[in-house]
Amino acid sequence: MTALSPATLDALPAEVRRPGYDRTAVRAGIVHFGLGNFSRAHQAMYLDELLEQGGGQEWGICGVGLMPRDAAMRDALRATDGLYTLVLKHPDGTLEPRVVGSVVDYLYAPDDPQRVIDRLADPQTRIVSLTVTEGGYNVHPVTGEFDLGNAAVTADLTGAHHPTTVFGLVTAGLRLRRERGIEPFTVMSCDNIPHNGDVARRMFSAYARELDPELGAWMAEHVSFPNCMVDRITPATTDDDRAEVRERWGIEDLWPVVAEPFTQWVLEDDFPLGRPELDRVGVQLVEDVTPYELMKLRLLNASHQGLCYFGYLAGYRLVHDVCSDPLFADFLLAYMTEEATPTLPPVPGVDLAAYRATLIERFSNAQVRDTVARLCAESSDRIPKWLVPVIRENLASDGPVELSAAIVASWARYAEGVDEQGEPIEVVDQLADQLVPIARSQVEGDPDVFVQNEQLFGDLASQERFLTAYRSTLSSLHAHGARATLESLMADRPRPSQG
């Protein structure tokens, strides 16, 4: 057994790709908040590829953790000097292992917040990137503005202690740079929210304005926040994953990452202090990321929600099992073709029919073993951003909404917290304490109560065409179950083409 470290790389089996570059020459030009599985399978992998090609030595990553759970990542990466194993799992069963070396430092902010601020203020830091989840931007669910009522934000704004939030730390770093005459770094959001860079600009600038109006105005004017679209299915690491890495290749790695082979990154090219040559390693650099972003959010992300609640209620627990079932695959293709695709602008260079078919193939990859429960989590951050806009646009254009409404109804049924066998469901959502009681009240009370939540759905409960379709599916889910409901929805439709 080989404990992963720089000293043991040469002892790894030949089939395990490992850094062929001098890691001691790599400097951290990027500080990344939220260095979890996705960022390590995606952004860090792209930078590792660039380093392999002989470029990017000034673009290593310094990860930063904020949450108590990030202490485990600190410990895992400290044990390996930032190295970790990435295993790509191909649908045919082929495994592609590699050791990624682009993460050269990791700071756990609660250990020493000032050290994080100093790293942000260092002229060597030219990009600050983020994967802090859809809910990490502190957007008020009603107003859409920065939520000043957040307790952690309120505490940071008092200035009585070192900041603990990403807003407080990033702003403190930018304030120091401004005071020292150092140009501001670029803030690059890599989260799955529409116009992620624009959202980050609004939220960080709002925090800074509350702290210091002049600083906030300076940030809004001088700090670049490019939008981007990122894509790679990356499930949570399991003990089975750790065991597989240990048993197949003899590598002791506390936190390996598994992912599908497919990866995509579309990025607006707006980096005043420079950027890595990402175009050399397959990143699409564009002027406007909007068409690609909408394609992914409304086809891939919304389809995840389309499969997860129906799938869970029908008894499935792994994503590939859901999508290997023709009924579910046909439902997703019908949603994508009939309702989502008509709301998209032209996407340069993309065959949307082929993209839709590829999504079903990716979801059906049995090697990845992504869980249905993972896709069901944090729905209150996802459905309003990914699916509700599809419904709104189709209502406005007199387009179909039956399948989109059915997905919303499946969420409402899932949120009751009890499956079709009467077993409890653990509803993982920041609003679970509110949503579960509301969902349960719809069983014997008002069937519309779940979608009357204007924070999540706006005025959809007053849109009769949506409401009729929603009620029909919710009633069927209660009376007949998920599978029978899907069979009814698909009964009068021709089988969708996958090409």
Side-chain angles (χ1 to χ4, degrees):
M1 197 65 57
T2 302
L4 186 60
S5 74
T8 61
L9 287 176
D10 290 341
L12 299 182
E15 66 179 297
V16 179
R17 179 176 164 186
R18 77 290 309 268
Y21 49 90
D22 179 5
R23 290 185 74 235
T24 64
V26 180
R27 305 182 304 281
I30 300 173
V31 172
H32 184 87
F33 284 83
L35 189 74
N37 277 13
F38 178 78
S39 58
R40 293 191 296 148
H42 193 268
Q43 177 184 339
M45 181 278 300
Y46 280 102
L47 291 165
D48 188 64
E49 289 281 358
L50 182 60
L51 287 162
E52 286 290 347
Q53 293 185 17
Q57 285 79 8
E58 70 274 32
W59 295 110
I61 296 172
C62 170
V64 175
L66 299 175
M67 310 301 290
R69 62 178 178 269
D70 294 327
M73 183 65 72
R74 172 200 61 195
D75 296 342
L77 293 177
R78 183 177 292 168
T80 62
D81 192 34
L83 298 171
Y84 58 92
T85 313
L86 170 63
V87 181
L88 302 186
K89 296 197 167 189
H90 294 259
D92 65 1
T94 300
L95 302 182
E96 188 180 343
R98 66 188 290 177
V99 174
V100 175
S102 55
V103 177
V104 296
D105 199 3
Y106 189 87
L107 304 177
Y108 181 54
D111 287 342
D112 190 347
Q114 188 58 51
R115 189 177 174 197
V116 175
I117 294 168
D118 290 341
R119 177 61 68 91
L120 292 167
D122 190 323
Q124 184 175 289
T125 299
R126 291 188 277 166
I127 296 173
V128 171
S129 51
L130 311 167
T131 45
V132 294
T133 76
E134 297 90 343
Y137 290 81
N138 197 45
V139 180
H140 193 282
V142 176
T143 66
E145 301 301 322
F146 189 73
D147 184 4
L148 290 169
N150 179 297
V153 166
T154 300
D156 275 5
L157 287 170
T158 65
H161 53 67
H162 278 110
T164 63
T165 68
V166 65
F167 307 101
L169 290 164
V170 169
T171 301
L174 284 168
R175 170 184 259 174
L176 267 184
R177 292 174 80 101
R178 184 177 183 230
E179 292 172 354
R180 296 171 181 175
I182 303 168
E183 290 296 308
F185 46 69
T186 295
V187 177
M188 180 176 70
S189 169
C190 298
D191 282 297
N192 278 319
I193 51 178
H195 303 294
N196 49 17
D198 296 339
V199 172
R201 179 191 298 277
R202 288 196 302 111
M203 298 303 111
F204 280 91
S205 298
Y207 174 90
R209 278 195 301 272
E210 191 69 20
L211 185 71
D212 176 344
E214 187 179 347
L215 177 64
W218 175 83
M219 280 177 54
E221 181 177 355
H222 295 287
V223 179
S224 175
F225 292 83
N227 294 299
C228 80
M229 184 272 269
V230 296
D231 190 5
R232 170 167 264 178
I233 295 172
T234 310
T237 301
T238 66
D239 287 340
D240 287 343
D241 295 324
R242 294 180 180 90
E244 184 171 55
V245 169
R246 185 168 56 248
E247 293 163 10
R248 279 183 176 265
W249 302 293
I251 302 173
E252 190 67 47
D253 186 347
L254 293 174
W255 209 325
V257 186
V258 300
E260 65 168 339
F262 180 92
T263 184
Q264 187 177 21
W265 191 359
V266 184
L267 178 61
E268 290 177 356
D269 196 0
D270 184 13
F271 294 83
L273 294 187
R275 57 162 173 79
E277 294 179 278
L278 294 168
D279 47 323
R280 287 176 52 183
V281 290
V283 178
Q284 296 167 263
L285 295 164
V286 300
E287 290 186 7
D288 182 11
V289 78
T290 302
Y292 304 92
E293 173 186 83
L294 290 175
M295 174 188 75
K296 192 223 173 189
L297 295 173
R298 297 183 180 184
L299 296 181
L300 184 151
N301 293 118
S303 290
H304 269 165
Q305 309 316 116
L307 73 86
C308 68
Y309 315 112
F310 277 115
Y312 195 99
L313 292 168
Y316 290 117
R317 295 298 178 263
L318 293 172
V319 173
H320 69 266
D321 287 333
V322 180
C323 283
S324 297
D325 184 325
L327 175 63
F328 287 80
D330 288 351
F331 171 71
L332 294 181
L333 281 168
Y335 157 73
M336 289 191 280
T337 303
E338 298 174 20
E339 299 189 16
T341 299
T343 71
L344 299 177
V347 187
V350 176
D351 179 334
L352 289 176
Y355 181 80
R356 294 192 296 265
T358 298
L359 290 181
I360 299 300
E361 293 172 6
R362 292 169 62 193
F363 296 166
S364 302
N365 185 341
Q367 305 305 313
V368 174
R369 299 187 68 79
D370 200 5
T371 67
V372 175
R374 184 184 78 87
L375 303 187
C376 291
E378 303 302 342
S379 300
S380 65
D381 276 329
R382 297 175 173 183
I383 292 284
K385 298 181 179 75
W386 301 345
L387 186 65
V388 169
V390 172
I391 297 170
R392 290 194 179 286
E393 290 199 26
N394 280 322
L395 287 172
S397 66
D398 203 29
V401 297
E402 182 183 30
L403 302 181
S404 299
I407 296 171
V408 176
S410 71
W411 176 30
R413 170 64 185 86
Y414 174 90
E416 292 170 16
V418 181
D419 70 15
E420 292 178 5
Q421 288 70 47
E423 296 297 322
I425 297 172
E426 182 186 4
V427 178
V428 178
D429 194 293
Q430 62 179 345
L431 299 182
D433 290 345
Q434 302 172 34
L435 295 178
V436 172
I438 292 172
R440 288 178 177 172
S441 73
Q442 72 195 353
V443 179
E444 301 294 340
D446 183 352
D448 304 339
V449 66
F450 193 80
V451 291
Q452 288 169 354
N453 186 332
E454 294 186 359
Q455 294 183 22
L456 301 178
F457 300 106
D459 66 350
L460 284 188
S462 68
Q463 302 294 319
E464 194 59 38
R465 200 153 60 87
F466 164 80
L467 208 56
T468 298
Y470 171 82
R471 287 170 177 163
S472 175
T473 297
L474 186 61
S475 174
S476 178
L477 285 167
H478 284 135
H480 308 296
R483 186 168 198 91
T485 298
L486 283 182
E487 288 172 344
S488 177
L489 284 166
M490 299 303 297
D492 299 325
R493 287 183 163 83
R495 187 168 186 187
S497 168
Q498 293 200 34

PDB file of all heavy atoms in Angstrom, residues 136-162:
ATOM      1  N   GLY A 136     -24.902  29.575  -1.973  1.00  0.00           N
ATOM      2  CA  GLY A 136     -23.821  30.278  -1.291  1.00  0.00           C
ATOM      3  C   GLY A 136     -23.703  31.750  -1.599  1.00  0.00           C
ATOM      4  O   GLY A 136     -22.808  32.426  -1.061  1.00  0.00           O
ATOM      5  N   TYR A 137     -24.588  32.276  -2.453  1.00  0.00           N
ATOM      6  CA  TYR A 137     -24.468  33.674  -2.863  1.00  0.00           C
ATOM      7  C   TYR A 137     -25.351  34.606  -2.049  1.00  0.00           C
ATOM      8  O   TYR A 137     -25.403  35.804  -2.322  1.00  0.00           O
ATOM      9  CB  TYR A 137     -24.752  33.794  -4.372  1.00  0.00           C
ATOM     10  CG  TYR A 137     -23.620  33.164  -5.164  1.00  0.00           C
ATOM     11  CD1 TYR A 137     -23.557  31.797  -5.345  1.00  0.00           C
ATOM     12  CD2 TYR A 137     -22.570  33.940  -5.647  1.00  0.00           C
ATOM     13  CE1 TYR A 137     -22.499  31.205  -6.014  1.00  0.00           C
ATOM     14  CE2 TYR A 137     -21.506  33.361  -6.317  1.00  0.00           C
ATOM     15  CZ  TYR A 137     -21.479  31.994  -6.496  1.00  0.00           C
ATOM     16  OH  TYR A 137     -20.409  31.412  -7.150  1.00  0.00           O
ATOM     17  N   ASN A 138     -26.069  34.059  -1.068  1.00  0.00           N
ATOM     18  CA  ASN A 138     -26.817  34.879  -0.110  1.00  0.00           C
ATOM     19  C   ASN A 138     -27.854  35.765  -0.790  1.00  0.00           C
ATOM     20  O   ASN A 138     -28.044  36.926  -0.421  1.00  0.00           O
ATOM     21  CB  ASN A 138     -25.850  35.729   0.731  1.00  0.00           C
ATOM     22  CG  ASN A 138     -26.507  36.281   1.989  1.00  0.00           C
ATOM     23  OD1 ASN A 138     -27.205  35.564   2.686  1.00  0.00           O
ATOM     24  ND2 ASN A 138     -26.275  37.542   2.263  1.00  0.00           N
ATOM     25  N   VAL A 139     -28.525  35.211  -1.791  1.00  0.00           N
ATOM     26  CA  VAL A 139     -29.569  35.950  -2.502  1.00  0.00           C
ATOM     27  C   VAL A 139     -30.879  35.794  -1.740  1.00  0.00           C
ATOM     28  O   VAL A 139     -31.313  34.672  -1.457  1.00  0.00           O
ATOM     29  CB  VAL A 139     -29.730  35.426  -3.937  1.00  0.00           C
ATOM     30  CG1 VAL A 139     -30.815  36.207  -4.677  1.00  0.00           C
ATOM     31  CG2 VAL A 139     -28.399  35.500  -4.688  1.00  0.00           C
ATOM     32  N   HIS A 140     -31.511  36.896  -1.400  1.00  0.00           N
ATOM     33  CA  HIS A 140     -32.784  36.839  -0.687  1.00  0.00           C
ATOM     34  C   HIS A 140     -33.831  36.187  -1.584  1.00  0.00           C
ATOM     35  O   HIS A 140     -33.997  36.582  -2.745  1.00  0.00           O
ATOM     36  CB  HIS A 140     -33.250  38.243  -0.294  1.00  0.00           C
ATOM     37  CG  HIS A 140     -34.367  38.239   0.698  1.00  0.00           C
ATOM     38  ND1 HIS A 140     -35.666  37.976   0.338  1.00  0.00           N
ATOM     39  CD2 HIS A 140     -34.381  38.451   2.049  1.00  0.00           C
ATOM     40  CE1 HIS A 140     -36.439  38.042   1.411  1.00  0.00           C
ATOM     41  NE2 HIS A 140     -35.685  38.313   2.457  1.00  0.00           N
ATOM     42  N   PRO A 141     -34.573  35.185  -1.080  1.00  0.00           N
ATOM     43  CA  PRO A 141     -35.495  34.445  -1.947  1.00  0.00           C
ATOM     44  C   PRO A 141     -36.660  35.261  -2.473  1.00  0.00           C
ATOM     45  O   PRO A 141     -37.268  34.893  -3.481  1.00  0.00           O
ATOM     46  CB  PRO A 141     -35.985  33.307  -1.037  1.00  0.00           C
ATOM     47  CG  PRO A 141     -35.753  33.786   0.359  1.00  0.00           C
ATOM     48  CD  PRO A 141     -34.524  34.632   0.289  1.00  0.00           C
ATOM     49  N   VAL A 142     -36.997  36.355  -1.818  1.00  0.00           N
ATOM     50  CA  VAL A 142     -38.124  37.177  -2.263  1.00  0.00           C
ATOM     51  C   VAL A 142     -37.658  38.341  -3.125  1.00  0.00           C
ATOM     52  O   VAL A 142     -38.115  38.540  -4.252  1.00  0.00           O
ATOM     53  CB  VAL A 142     -38.930  37.707  -1.062  1.00  0.00           C
ATOM     54  CG1 VAL A 142     -40.048  38.637  -1.539  1.00  0.00           C
ATOM     55  CG2 VAL A 142     -39.508  36.548  -0.260  1.00  0.00           C
ATOM     56  N   THR A 143     -36.699  39.104  -2.624  1.00  0.00           N
ATOM     57  CA  THR A 143     -36.278  40.323  -3.320  1.00  0.00           C
ATOM     58  C   THR A 143     -35.253  40.063  -4.414  1.00  0.00           C
ATOM     59  O   THR A 143     -35.105  40.867  -5.333  1.00  0.00           O
ATOM     60  CB  THR A 143     -35.678  41.327  -2.322  1.00  0.00           C
ATOM     61  OG1 THR A 143     -34.451  40.790  -1.793  1.00  0.00           O
ATOM     62  CG2 THR A 143     -36.641  41.599  -1.185  1.00  0.00           C
ATOM     63  N   GLY A 144     -34.516  38.954  -4.307  1.00  0.00           N
ATOM     64  CA  GLY A 144     -33.438  38.712  -5.260  1.00  0.00           C
ATOM     65  C   GLY A 144     -32.197  39.533  -4.975  1.00  0.00           C
ATOM     66  O   GLY A 144     -31.218  39.467  -5.724  1.00  0.00           O
ATOM     67  N   GLU A 145     -32.223  40.303  -3.896  1.00  0.00           N
ATOM     68  CA  GLU A 145     -31.071  41.132  -3.537  1.00  0.00           C
ATOM     69  C   GLU A 145     -30.233  40.436  -2.465  1.00  0.00           C
ATOM     70  O   GLU A 145     -30.604  39.388  -1.954  1.00  0.00           O
ATOM     71  CB  GLU A 145     -31.557  42.498  -3.022  1.00  0.00           C
ATOM     72  CG  GLU A 145     -32.392  43.283  -4.020  1.00  0.00           C
ATOM     73  CD  GLU A 145     -31.652  43.569  -5.312  1.00  0.00           C
ATOM     74  OE1 GLU A 145     -30.435  43.838  -5.260  1.00  0.00           O
ATOM     75  OE2 GLU A 145     -32.292  43.496  -6.384  1.00  0.00           O
ATOM     76  N   PHE A 146     -29.113  41.052  -2.124  1.00  0.00           N
ATOM     77  CA  PHE A 146     -28.239  40.497  -1.097  1.00  0.00           C
ATOM     78  C   PHE A 146     -28.974  40.491   0.240  1.00  0.00           C
ATOM     79  O   PHE A 146     -29.573  41.483   0.640  1.00  0.00           O
ATOM     80  CB  PHE A 146     -26.965  41.340  -1.005  1.00  0.00           C
ATOM     81  CG  PHE A 146     -25.899  40.745  -0.131  1.00  0.00           C
ATOM     82  CD1 PHE A 146     -25.170  39.647  -0.555  1.00  0.00           C
ATOM     83  CD2 PHE A 146     -25.617  41.289   1.107  1.00  0.00           C
ATOM     84  CE1 PHE A 146     -24.178  39.097   0.250  1.00  0.00           C
ATOM     85  CE2 PHE A 146     -24.627  40.756   1.920  1.00  0.00           C
ATOM     86  CZ  PHE A 146     -23.909  39.653   1.483  1.00  0.00           C
ATOM     87  N   ASP A 147     -28.928  39.346   0.933  1.00  0.00           N
ATOM     88  CA  ASP A 147     -29.695  39.182   2.168  1.00  0.00           C
ATOM     89  C   ASP A 147     -28.896  39.706   3.357  1.00  0.00           C
ATOM     90  O   ASP A 147     -28.062  39.007   3.922  1.00  0.00           O
ATOM     91  CB  ASP A 147     -30.040  37.706   2.356  1.00  0.00           C
ATOM     92  CG  ASP A 147     -30.914  37.463   3.578  1.00  0.00           C
ATOM     93  OD1 ASP A 147     -31.314  38.456   4.230  1.00  0.00           O
ATOM     94  OD2 ASP A 147     -31.192  36.287   3.883  1.00  0.00           O
ATOM     95  N   LEU A 148     -29.177  40.924   3.755  1.00  0.00           N
ATOM     96  CA  LEU A 148     -28.477  41.531   4.888  1.00  0.00           C
ATOM     97  C   LEU A 148     -28.936  40.969   6.225  1.00  0.00           C
ATOM     98  O   LEU A 148     -28.326  41.255   7.252  1.00  0.00           O
ATOM     99  CB  LEU A 148     -28.674  43.045   4.859  1.00  0.00           C
ATOM    100  CG  LEU A 148     -27.950  43.771   3.715  1.00  0.00           C
ATOM    101  CD1 LEU A 148     -28.425  45.210   3.608  1.00  0.00           C
ATOM    102  CD2 LEU A 148     -26.437  43.709   3.911  1.00  0.00           C
ATOM    103  N   GLY A 149     -29.997  40.154   6.205  1.00  0.00           N
ATOM    104  CA  GLY A 149     -30.461  39.548   7.441  1.00  0.00           C
ATOM    105  C   GLY A 149     -29.726  38.270   7.806  1.00  0.00           C
ATOM    106  O   GLY A 149     -29.937  37.726   8.890  1.00  0.00           O
ATOM    107  N   ASN A 150     -28.847  37.796   6.935  1.00  0.00           N
ATOM    108  CA  ASN A 150     -28.062  36.602   7.229  1.00  0.00           C
ATOM    109  C   ASN A 150     -27.174  36.853   8.441  1.00  0.00           C
ATOM    110  O   ASN A 150     -26.413  37.827   8.479  1.00  0.00           O
ATOM    111  CB  ASN A 150     -27.217  36.253   5.993  1.00  0.00           C
ATOM    112  CG  ASN A 150     -26.347  35.030   6.194  1.00  0.00           C
ATOM    113  OD1 ASN A 150     -25.461  35.001   7.037  1.00  0.00           O
ATOM    114  ND2 ASN A 150     -26.584  34.033   5.372  1.00  0.00           N
ATOM    115  N   ALA A 151     -27.262  35.979   9.444  1.00  0.00           N
ATOM    116  CA  ALA A 151     -26.573  36.232  10.715  1.00  0.00           C
ATOM    117  C   ALA A 151     -25.059  36.306  10.551  1.00  0.00           C
ATOM    118  O   ALA A 151     -24.403  37.160  11.161  1.00  0.00           O
ATOM    119  CB  ALA A 151     -26.935  35.140  11.722  1.00  0.00           C
ATOM    120  N   ALA A 152     -24.490  35.430   9.729  1.00  0.00           N
ATOM    121  CA  ALA A 152     -23.033  35.442   9.539  1.00  0.00           C
ATOM    122  C   ALA A 152     -22.589  36.714   8.827  1.00  0.00           C
ATOM    123  O   ALA A 152     -21.546  37.308   9.157  1.00  0.00           O
ATOM    124  CB  ALA A 152     -22.602  34.210   8.760  1.00  0.00           C
ATOM    125  N   VAL A 153     -23.381  37.158   7.859  1.00  0.00           N
ATOM    126  CA  VAL A 153     -23.069  38.399   7.150  1.00  0.00           C
ATOM    127  C   VAL A 153     -23.167  39.589   8.103  1.00  0.00           C
ATOM    128  O   VAL A 153     -22.296  40.470   8.122  1.00  0.00           O
ATOM    129  CB  VAL A 153     -24.025  38.574   5.952  1.00  0.00           C
ATOM    130  CG1 VAL A 153     -23.966  40.003   5.408  1.00  0.00           C
ATOM    131  CG2 VAL A 153     -23.681  37.572   4.851  1.00  0.00           C
ATOM    132  N   THR A 154     -24.221  39.611   8.903  1.00  0.00           N
ATOM    133  CA  THR A 154     -24.394  40.698   9.873  1.00  0.00           C
ATOM    134  C   THR A 154     -23.209  40.766  10.826  1.00  0.00           C
ATOM    135  O   THR A 154     -22.683  41.861  11.125  1.00  0.00           O
ATOM    136  CB  THR A 154     -25.690  40.494  10.666  1.00  0.00           C
ATOM    137  OG1 THR A 154     -26.797  40.486   9.761  1.00  0.00           O
ATOM    138  CG2 THR A 154     -25.888  41.600  11.687  1.00  0.00           C
ATOM    139  N   ALA A 155     -22.755  39.604  11.278  1.00  0.00           N
ATOM    140  CA  ALA A 155     -21.608  39.572  12.189  1.00  0.00           C
ATOM    141  C   ALA A 155     -20.348  40.088  11.502  1.00  0.00           C
ATOM    142  O   ALA A 155     -19.562  40.841  12.098  1.00  0.00           O
ATOM    143  CB  ALA A 155     -21.397  38.154  12.696  1.00  0.00           C
ATOM    144  N   ASP A 156     -20.149  39.723  10.249  1.00  0.00           N
ATOM    145  CA  ASP A 156     -18.972  40.202   9.521  1.00  0.00           C
ATOM    146  C   ASP A 156     -19.008  41.717   9.345  1.00  0.00           C
ATOM    147  O   ASP A 156     -17.978  42.394   9.433  1.00  0.00           O
ATOM    148  CB  ASP A 156     -18.888  39.535   8.142  1.00  0.00           C
ATOM    149  CG  ASP A 156     -18.200  38.174   8.185  1.00  0.00           C
ATOM    150  OD1 ASP A 156     -17.880  37.706   9.291  1.00  0.00           O
ATOM    151  OD2 ASP A 156     -17.987  37.591   7.103  1.00  0.00           O
ATOM    152  N   LEU A 157     -20.187  42.253   9.080  1.00  0.00           N
ATOM    153  CA  LEU A 157     -20.299  43.689   8.819  1.00  0.00           C
ATOM    154  C   LEU A 157     -20.015  44.536  10.058  1.00  0.00           C
ATOM    155  O   LEU A 157     -19.675  45.714   9.932  1.00  0.00           O
ATOM    156  CB  LEU A 157     -21.692  44.010   8.273  1.00  0.00           C
ATOM    157  CG  LEU A 157     -21.954  43.563   6.827  1.00  0.00           C
ATOM    158  CD1 LEU A 157     -23.423  43.696   6.478  1.00  0.00           C
ATOM    159  CD2 LEU A 157     -21.102  44.389   5.856  1.00  0.00           C
ATOM    160  N   THR A 158     -20.111  43.954  11.239  1.00  0.00           N
ATOM    161  CA  THR A 158     -19.805  44.727  12.446  1.00  0.00           C
ATOM    162  C   THR A 158     -18.323  45.049  12.545  1.00  0.00           C
ATOM    163  O   THR A 158     -17.941  46.023  13.214  1.00  0.00           O
ATOM    164  CB  THR A 158     -20.209  43.959  13.717  1.00  0.00           C
ATOM    165  OG1 THR A 158     -19.400  42.781  13.844  1.00  0.00           O
ATOM    166  CG2 THR A 158     -21.683  43.564  13.676  1.00  0.00           C
ATOM    167  N   GLY A 159     -17.493  44.222  11.903  1.00  0.00           N
ATOM    168  CA  GLY A 159     -16.048  44.431  11.980  1.00  0.00           C
ATOM    169  C   GLY A 159     -15.457  44.101  13.326  1.00  0.00           C
ATOM    170  O   GLY A 159     -14.298  44.441  13.607  1.00  0.00           O
ATOM    171  N   ALA A 160     -16.214  43.403  14.172  1.00  0.00           N
ATOM    172  CA  ALA A 160     -15.736  43.116  15.522  1.00  0.00           C
ATOM    173  C   ALA A 160     -14.753  41.952  15.563  1.00  0.00           C
ATOM    174  O   ALA A 160     -14.115  41.718  16.585  1.00  0.00           O
ATOM    175  CB  ALA A 160     -16.930  42.807  16.428  1.00  0.00           C
ATOM    176  N   HIS A 161     -14.649  41.211  14.474  1.00  0.00           N
ATOM    177  CA  HIS A 161     -13.751  40.064  14.424  1.00  0.00           C
ATOM    178  C   HIS A 161     -13.328  39.847  12.975  1.00  0.00           C
ATOM    179  O   HIS A 161     -13.815  40.519  12.057  1.00  0.00           O
ATOM    180  CB  HIS A 161     -14.460  38.810  14.955  1.00  0.00           C
ATOM    181  CG  HIS A 161     -15.775  38.533  14.273  1.00  0.00           C
ATOM    182  ND1 HIS A 161     -15.876  38.176  12.952  1.00  0.00           N
ATOM    183  CD2 HIS A 161     -17.056  38.589  14.743  1.00  0.00           C
ATOM    184  CE1 HIS A 161     -17.144  38.008  12.624  1.00  0.00           C
ATOM    185  NE2 HIS A 161     -17.883  38.270  13.698  1.00  0.00           N
ATOM    186  N   HIS A 162     -12.430  38.921  12.770  1.00  0.00           N
ATOM    187  CA  HIS A 162     -12.082  38.573  11.407  1.00  0.00           C
ATOM    188  C   HIS A 162     -13.325  38.034  10.689  1.00  0.00           C
ATOM    189  O   HIS A 162     -14.134  37.320  11.288  1.00  0.00           O
ATOM    190  CB  HIS A 162     -10.997  37.500  11.390  1.00  0.00           C
ATOM    191  CG  HIS A 162      -9.618  38.042  11.575  1.00  0.00           C
ATOM    192  ND1 HIS A 162      -8.879  37.834  12.719  1.00  0.00           N
ATOM    193  CD2 HIS A 162      -8.840  38.784  10.753  1.00  0.00           C
ATOM    194  CE1 HIS A 162      -7.700  38.425  12.596  1.00  0.00           C
ATOM    195  NE2 HIS A 162      -7.652  39.011  11.417  1.00  0.00           N
TER     196      HIS A 162
END
